[in-house]
Amino acid sequence: MDGEASEQGRSQVVNPVGVLDEDQVRRYARHLSLPSVGPAGQRRLLDARVLVIGAGGLGAPVLQYLAAAGVGTITVVDDDEVDLSNLQRQVIHRTGDVGAAKVDSAARAVGELNPDVRIVAVRERLDAANVVDLCSDHDVVVDATDNFGTRFLLNDACVLLGLPLVWAAINQFDGQLTVWSAGEGPCLRCLFPVMPDPAAAPSCAAAGVLGVLPGLLGAAQASEALKLVLGLGAPLVGRIAVFDALAFEWSQIPVAADPSCLVCGPDAVPIDIRDEDPASSTDRVEVVPMVDAVEAGRLLASGAVRLVDVRSAQEWAQASVAGSQWLPLDDIRQGAAPEADGLPLVVMCRSGVRSAEATRLLLERGIDARSLDGGILAWAAAVDPALDPA
């Protein structure tokens, strides 16, 4: 269903006189008991339209809590399929959903949770061609993605449309949360005028993540989105909340709008999203020479290459390819080089992200290297099924 949208659940139709029906009174009873919400606030939620980009670790709790709260229309955008490795943290999906489109799995879960909600499932990758159309006609946008390219596209589109953007990022045991709201506070480009190197934020597959962490940050994103819809409290505008799961500590960092920001500042250049390059949203560090697992296995067996594994010591101890040399990425970053025997190198990590960075660094030093496409996961699937790197 690439490029198409599907809907599940019944459309929200507010009674002309604004009266909640009997089932809604029972379902939202705890909201109705809150003086700051009450029937008027609940009807406001039922009329709201929220866009959620990503149906993974952050998106799962966002979607569940927005649906449970009775947000009337939720659009979810994701082009990925459910993988078994997702289930450690992406709790909206089930084992039976493995192989299904994440947006379809999420739509099923939302429909089962609350039939008041109209869920619009868009199985597309967000890019410069569709971001403005997708964001339009929504009240709040939630960034539940995991790459710089998409985050910057969303920021620029929300500035253009005047929409608040609820943003979170996670890494291993740490998380960050804020609301970018140009005009009331800074936008993402006030802090980062130029998109950072993707290597600065490795994916969950490369770096790992405590399964509950995206649940905590995603629930916090849902809280901020509900506050924005209801007009309650003080949204995290001009503040970044930082969470350390190991110490269980929250802290806040004040951030200010940059008056010279070329996207949201007073002298901002008119934004043309179509001119932005969506290719930067890929997970690869940059284009480097690559080799697939089958070809790498043939070259290694013939003695034509040396295989270098740049994963962590723990990953290496769990599973490694016979004859490979272990040299962790951190050592390469600090200037270390593999054993010199004149052979070209095939650099391997878990999935191909860290090996791409290592290959780039080695090439810059004049060392002949290629990155193993798909990493040890691809090697186990195509060359050595007995290897268990999971």
Side-chain angles (χ1 to χ4, degrees):
M1 58 176 289
D2 285 347
E4 300 178 357
S6 67
E7 298 179 9
Q8 180 170 332
R10 65 181 176 86
S11 298
Q12 167 59 31
V13 179
V14 178
N15 189 301
V17 296
V19 177
L20 302 175
D21 65 35
E22 181 179 348
D23 285 344
Q24 289 172 330
V25 170
R26 294 176 59 194
R27 180 182 291 272
Y28 308 118
R30 301 304 184 270
H31 276 176
L32 302 181
S33 298
L34 291 170
S36 55
V37 179
Q42 190 59 55
R43 290 194 297 270
R44 191 168 182 173
L45 288 171
L46 289 165
D47 281 336
R49 301 175 60 88
V50 177
L51 173 66
V52 180
I53 307 297
L58 291 168
V62 170
L63 291 164
Q64 288 172 311
Y65 277 108
L66 294 183
V71 171
T73 300
I74 302 173
T75 303
V76 55
V77 180
D78 199 306
D79 70 338
D80 200 6
E81 295 180 352
V82 180
D83 184 81
L84 189 61
S85 66
N86 299 150
L87 304 185
Q88 164 253 14
R89 64 200 178 280
Q90 299 180 17
V91 295
I92 202 168
H93 310 300
R94 300 291 180 262
T95 302
D97 297 320
V98 171
K102 285 185 178 179
V103 291
D104 291 341
S105 173
R108 179 268 310 155
V110 167
E112 292 174 355
L113 178 60
N114 190 351
D116 281 345
V117 176
R118 174 176 174 258
I119 181 77
V120 181
V122 181
R123 190 180 180 185
E124 293 182 5
R125 187 174 183 86
L126 192 83
D127 58 28
N130 63 18
V131 63
V132 172
D133 287 341
L134 287 171
C135 290
S136 298
D137 199 27
H138 289 87
D139 304 303
V140 177
V141 177
V142 179
D143 181 354
T145 65
D146 63 355
N147 65 80
F148 284 133
T150 302
R151 291 170 182 163
F152 277 75
L153 278 175
L154 279 175
N155 174 81
D156 295 357
C158 286
V159 171
L160 180 67
L161 297 169
L163 294 174
L165 176 61
V166 183
W167 173 93
I170 55 174
N171 180 50
Q172 296 187 334
F173 301 99
D174 304 313
Q176 300 176 21
L177 172 75
T178 194
V179 176
W180 305 118
S181 186
E184 298 182 15
C187 78
L188 177 61
R189 289 194 187 267
C190 290
L191 273 68
F192 303 101
V194 178
M195 184 165 52
D197 187 336
S203 67
C204 290
V209 64
L210 184 68
V212 72
L213 181 67
L216 289 164
L217 271 293
Q221 283 185 286
S223 175
E224 290 300 296
L226 293 175
K227 285 163 54 183
L228 289 164
V229 170
L230 291 167
L232 296 178
L236 271 170
V237 176
R239 296 172 291 150
I240 297 178
V242 180
F243 180 64
D244 179 347
L246 293 181
F248 204 91
E249 291 181 347
W250 284 95
S251 58
Q252 291 191 19
I253 302 171
V255 290
D258 179 1
S260 63
C261 178
L262 295 181
V263 171
C264 76
D267 299 321
V269 177
I271 302 171
D272 188 347
I273 303 293
R274 293 169 300 176
D275 289 340
E276 299 193 24
D277 181 10
S280 60
S281 66
T282 61
D283 286 335
R284 297 202 181 281
V285 174
E286 62 179 67
V287 177
V288 297
M290 303 188 70
V291 59
D292 64 43
V294 173
E295 176 65 9
R298 184 188 67 79
L299 292 170
L300 183 65
S302 66
V305 297
R306 175 183 293 280
L307 186 61
V308 177
D309 192 323
V310 299
R311 295 175 301 149
S312 68
Q314 182 178 356
E315 291 173 296
W316 168 264
Q318 181 175 331
S320 60
V321 176
S324 60
Q325 177 189 351
W326 177 58
L327 183 65
L329 176 58
D330 282 346
D331 288 5
I332 295 176
R333 287 170 174 163
Q334 295 170 17
E339 296 175 7
D341 57 8
L343 290 177
L345 304 179
V346 172
V347 185
M348 177 180 70
C349 65
R350 176 177 171 80
S351 61
V353 176
R354 286 170 288 176
S355 63
E357 179 186 353
T359 299
R360 175 177 57 83
L361 292 172
L362 294 170
L363 289 169
E364 289 174 354
R365 298 168 195 164
I367 299 173
D368 187 0
R370 284 171 279 180
S371 177
L372 178 62
D373 192 11
I376 196 171
L377 296 177
W379 183 280
V383 180
D384 186 2
L387 193 65
D388 183 14

